[in-house]
Amino acid sequence: MQKIVLLLIICLLLTGCKNKTREFQVKGIIEENHNDIVGIHYPITGIKILDKQIEQYIFNTKKTFDKQVPKELSLKLPSELNIDYEYWKVGDNYHNIVLTTFINSPNLAHPISEVKTFVYDSLKNKFLVLSDIAHLNVSIIKRGLLDKYKDCIFIEKLEAVFSQMEGLKFTFTKDAITLYFNPYEIASSSCGIIKYEFPYSDFKIPIELKENTTKTFEYHPTIKKLSIERPTIALTFDDGPSKYTKEIVKLLEKYETNATFFVLGNKVKNYNETLQFVLEHGNEIGNHSYNHKQLTRLSLNELKEQVEKTNNIVKDTLNYDIRLLRPTYGAINDTLKNNINMEIVLWNVDTLDWKLKNSKVIAKKALSDIKDGKIVLMHDIYKSTLGALKIILPELHKQGYQIVTVSELKEIQKLRNEAKNR
Ligand code: ZN
């Protein structure tokens, strides 16, 4: 009996003996101030020591960035910090995390790009170095790097880096190892961050091979009766999904309402189940970029990547075609308008929930600004937003409001115009 209890406790500690496809949390920090915009996403794995290291890295990077932000106000271009993540497991216990940082500021001659990796074994409770997982033939790897990056590589730096193997940044999958180098580490900045992947079968560690099973989902919008007479608004949620999204959907359902969720591509896979729940309850999904970079500052290729990567990932995981785009920070330019073939949706009621973070204050602001035909901006990543909805929804319900998705609002506006012209 004691053994069973102990096993159960170990299972609980390791999170997920029962449910291996459990969603981990993605922490999102999105801020917009006078001189700086910040978009940060990183995983909360539930492994204390690992999460602490990740948060420490984020904290230090943010501190470096804050020093770069110019003090004088009203500059044309704000400074931007963007940190994005990749997180995957090999077997049940090898956690691979890559954090990619991008900093741009008027104080810098060139934007800064930086990569950081963590590989953690949650069975042995330790961070791994490359020599823990494989015996490598260093000269073959060096030759490979020299061949691939011959135009930008610094040979002396390459030698120096491989003389201290413990410091190498790496990740692995069941059949390949990837090495990561920051600009100037082994090559000039013209090659950017170097990601060098090579196939590998001779791992030192036992790797349990498991196929990931993903559930597919067919989208069937719920057919609702929409009235063109009732005052109508569209509620929209940006920057999610998050652990609050499901609660928000349940609350919406309680008042027979629907909303549009503008999601970030880098969260879709992890919140697959949440997004299925969103769709199954008649809500709409829109695109809010891949990792919240400001779209108007990107090259055309980067811009397309931010948009298409999100559309594709939603299509692949949910079998859903996204039609709507909400640009990050509401920023639009001609490149965006002329090259992205999607309907751009902004807002005309800003609840400032990301800033106010107090349910009552958010609700008061929203309720005083809401009028028929408005598109309301909120964020499903804050508990205070969920709290505000608990005040807003019953009040609007009492006032006879109909709360719909963006596409439904457009449909109602079309029907109203047709009725007027008849
Ligand atoms: Zn946003």
Side-chain angles (χ1 to χ4, degrees):
M1 182 63 193
Q2 262 177 342
K3 259 188 190 165
I4 294 171
V5 172
L6 191 69
L7 247 169
L8 256 173
I9 292 169
I10 293 170
C11 268
L12 284 171
L13 285 175
L14 292 174
T15 62
C17 281
K18 229 171 111 195
N19 184 1
K20 293 199 171 88
T21 56
R22 204 176 78 104
E23 296 172 320
F24 61 89
Q25 299 301 324
V26 179
K27 173 104 175 150
I29 302 170
I30 310 278
E31 289 171 6
E32 188 180 4
N33 301 305
H34 279 300
N35 273 357
D36 62 282
I37 53 177
V38 173
I40 299 175
H41 293 98
Y42 60 92
I44 310 267
T45 64
I47 301 163
K48 253 194 188 157
I49 181 165
L50 176 57
D51 290 342
K52 213 172 150 192
Q53 291 269 333
I54 295 170
E55 288 198 323
Q56 191 63 47
Y57 177 79
I58 302 283
F59 177 81
N60 290 339
T61 310
K62 181 106 170 19
K63 221 163 87 182
T64 312
F65 170 71
D66 288 340
K67 280 192 204 142
Q68 293 293 341
V69 176
K71 295 287 168 283
E72 64 270 37
L73 286 175
S74 66
L75 283 163
K76 222 168 133 203
L77 281 178
S79 299
E80 177 171 6
L81 167 65
N82 189 281
I83 304 178
D84 194 14
Y85 77 95
E86 290 171 78
Y87 172 34
W88 68 93
K89 281 201 261 182
V90 178
D92 275 341
N93 56 306
Y94 299 109
H95 302 257
N96 289 261
I97 288 152
V98 183
L99 298 175
T100 310
T101 299
F102 168 85
I103 295 179
N104 201 356
S105 159
N107 283 353
L108 294 168
H110 303 285
I112 298 172
S113 299
E114 188 181 276
V115 67
K116 170 82 180 163
T117 61
F118 300 90
V119 179
Y120 189 79
D121 178 353
S122 58
L123 209 60
K124 291 198 174 138
N125 295 322
K126 63 177 240 184
F127 287 93
L128 301 182
V129 294
L130 193 48
S131 58
D132 289 330
I133 66 160
H135 291 293
L136 296 179
N137 185 330
V138 176
S139 53
I140 291 182
I141 298 169
K142 282 197 280 194
R143 211 176 312 140
L145 278 161
L146 271 168
D147 271 356
K148 195 166 174 197
Y149 299 99
K150 52 179 171 298
D151 295 336
C152 55
I153 214 144
F154 302 132
I155 294 172
E156 321 79 67
K157 287 199 171 183
L158 183 69
E159 293 297 337
V161 155
F162 278 93
S163 68
Q164 290 188 330
M165 297 274 288
E166 304 295 274
L168 286 177
K169 291 182 282 297
F170 74 101
T171 58
F172 69 103
T173 61
K174 63 182 166 54
D175 41 32
I177 293 175
T178 303
L179 296 179
Y180 301 78
F181 301 96
N182 283 320
Y184 302 112
E185 206 175 340
I186 58 164
S188 68
S189 66
S190 58
C191 282
I193 289 172
I194 289 180
K195 266 174 90 169
Y196 183 68
E197 183 187 290
F198 48 96
Y200 205 72
S201 54
D202 193 18
F203 287 104
K204 266 189 193 172
I205 53 170
I207 297 175
E208 217 184 308
L209 302 184
K210 254 185 214 143
E211 284 306 312
N212 278 339
T213 46
T214 42
K215 215 162 87 186
T216 52
F217 174 79
E218 295 247 356
Y219 178 56
H220 299 291
T222 49
I223 317 265
K224 286 186 301 182
K225 271 198 177 156
L226 296 175
S227 141
I228 63 168
E229 279 91 32
R230 281 172 67 190
T232 307
I233 58 156
L235 271 188
T236 64
F237 296 95
D238 286 9
D239 300 349
S242 81
K243 59 179 174 182
Y244 304 115
T245 307
K246 260 191 186 177
E247 285 306 306
I248 290 176
V249 169
K250 284 182 201 161
L251 195 63
L252 291 171
E253 195 182 29
K254 194 171 154 196
Y255 294 96
E256 294 173 354
T257 61
N258 283 124
T260 305
F261 293 81
F262 289 95
V263 302
L264 292 170
N266 68 0
K267 289 176 157 181
V268 170
K269 268 208 180 130
N270 188 46
Y271 290 97
N272 179 359
E273 233 180 276
T274 298
L275 287 174
Q276 286 183 32
F277 190 79
V278 166
L279 290 174
E280 280 162 0
H281 289 78
N283 301 289
E284 183 170 33
I285 291 179
N287 183 331
H288 191 47
S289 84
Y290 186 76
N291 56 23
H292 216 278
K293 279 198 178 151
Q294 183 167 352
L295 302 179
T296 50
R297 287 174 95 169
L298 301 177
S299 70
L300 181 56
N301 276 344
E302 289 171 318
L303 163 67
K304 283 187 171 167
E305 197 195 333
Q306 284 280 328
V307 175
E308 283 163 15
K309 213 167 153 186
T310 301
N311 286 348
N312 293 340
I313 226 167
V314 168
K315 178 75 181 169
D316 289 349
T317 45
L318 300 158
N319 198 17
Y320 179 88
D321 290 306
I322 293 192
R323 284 191 326 104
L324 310 176
L325 173 71
R326 169 160 289 160
T328 47
Y329 308 103
I332 300 177
N333 61 6
D334 285 342
T335 316
L336 177 65
K337 278 191 278 186
N338 298 337
N339 291 287
I340 302 297
N341 190 23
M342 296 173 76
E343 190 173 335
I344 294 173
V345 180
L346 296 177
W347 59 87
N348 39 34
V349 171
D350 189 349
T351 60
L352 295 178
D353 58 340
W354 64 276
K355 208 175 194 174
L356 300 172
K357 289 192 184 151
N358 173 311
S359 298
K360 279 186 190 159
V361 182
I362 299 165
K364 199 174 163 208
K365 165 128 186 68
L367 287 167
S368 68
D369 293 347
I370 281 172
K371 285 182 189 66
D372 181 34
K374 297 278 185 191
I375 297 179
V376 182
L377 171 64
M378 299 187 99
H379 299 82
D380 53 327
I381 59 171
Y382 306 110
K383 203 176 173 192
S384 47
T385 299
L386 173 64
L389 284 166
K390 289 180 182 165
I391 306 170
I392 296 168
L393 290 178
E395 179 55 32
L396 291 178
H397 187 74
K398 212 163 73 189
Q399 293 179 21
Y401 268 90
Q402 176 172 251
I403 301 173
V404 298
T405 66
V406 169
S407 294
E408 286 168 334
L409 180 68
K410 304 254 160 173
E411 189 59 29
I412 288 171
Q413 283 164 339
K414 207 176 94 194
L415 292 172
R416 282 180 181 174
N417 280 336
E418 281 170 11
K420 227 196 298 173
N421 297 331
R422 217 175 276 150

